[in-house]
Amino acid sequence: MRRDPGQRPPCVVVIGVSGVGKTTVARLLAQRLGVPFAEADDFHSPESVAKMSAGRPLTDADRGAWLEAIGRWLRERDRAATGGVVPCSALRRRYRDVLRAACPDAFFVHLTARHEEVGRRMSERSGHFMPRALLESQEAALEPLETDERGGAVDAGPAPGAVVESVLDLMAETENGANGPWPTTG
């Protein structure tokens, strides 16, 4: 993929509640942008995974090292000028602040969907540690992006490919040509 001279690939964090489609959309977005992908769930400690598997929500103390590790990954991608995409719940502003402190130019895409749709998706997936019982606690904790946070919300209801197109449109509109639109593959 060709890039204009001086154009840095973006570092994107796809946020939202569990089951909204973060990983699917983030993986497709990374492919379209031609940048590395990392799964934020892989940064959790075994203790945190066990806690969530048992239906207990994480505390802020549980999340601290996890968010810092994701932030380091973003910072490394930014410094290497490779860009990157990571799906990460980042439900609260203060969690996004940790990621932004590590990578100030991170772009946040908040995937949204109706409660019933997310619950259906969670019920249909297998092999994931997050039980549907924690959906309500995630929705209660969710703090939408604020106007001073770089990014925006995208409806996750359509097919994943259409959602990725909406994300690319959002990125282009938000950047007003300053750093985007970014070249894509495919």
Side-chain angles (χ1 to χ4, degrees), residues 96-178:
R96 297 186 298 268
D97 288 345
V98 170
L99 301 176
R100 209 174 6 265
C103 184
D105 291 330
F107 189 92
F108 293 89
V109 177
H110 175 193
L111 295 184
T112 64
R114 293 181 4 265
H115 173 84
E116 297 77 20
E117 175 65 18
V118 175
R120 181 189 62 75
R121 291 177 182 183
M122 290 181 84
S123 297
E124 291 175 355
R125 69 183 180 181
S126 63
H128 196 278
F129 58 81
M130 179 67 82
R132 189 187 184 298
L134 291 181
L135 176 57
E136 285 77 18
S137 70
Q138 286 210 328
E139 289 174 332
L142 177 64
E143 296 172 355
L145 292 172
E146 296 179 24
T147 57
D148 65 330
E149 294 183 271
R150 189 167 170 246
V154 172
D155 178 11
V163 175
V164 169
E165 291 302 321
S166 294
V167 169
L168 292 169
D169 289 346
L170 170 68
M171 291 173 71
E173 290 168 13
T174 302
E175 294 307 303
N176 291 326

Side-chain angles (χ1 to χ4, degrees), residues 13 15 66-68 70-71 74 88 90 94-104 106 108:
V13 183
I15 72 169
W66 174 67
L67 290 166
E68 289 171 6
I70 295 165
L74 288 165
C88 174
R94 66 179 171 264
Y95 306 157
R96 297 186 298 268
D97 288 345
V98 170
L99 301 176
R100 209 174 6 265
C103 184
F108 293 89

Side-chain angles (χ1 to χ4, degrees), residues 8-13 36 38 43 65-86 97-107:
R8 295 179 65 86
C11 287
V12 182
V13 183
F43 292 85
W66 174 67
L67 290 166
E68 289 171 6
I70 295 165
R72 279 191 301 276
W73 185 87
L74 288 165
R75 182 177 51 243
E76 290 165 4
R77 304 292 83 69
D78 188 50
R79 287 182 177 166
T82 64
V85 179
V86 61
D97 288 345
V98 170
L99 301 176
R100 209 174 6 265
C103 184
D105 291 330
F107 189 92

Side-chain angles (χ1 to χ4, degrees), residues 1 3 9 28-36 82-85 183-185:
M1 174 172 70
R3 296 192 189 280
L28 290 171
L29 180 62
Q31 289 172 356
R32 285 291 306 277
L33 293 171
V35 300
T82 64
V85 179
T184 60
T185 60

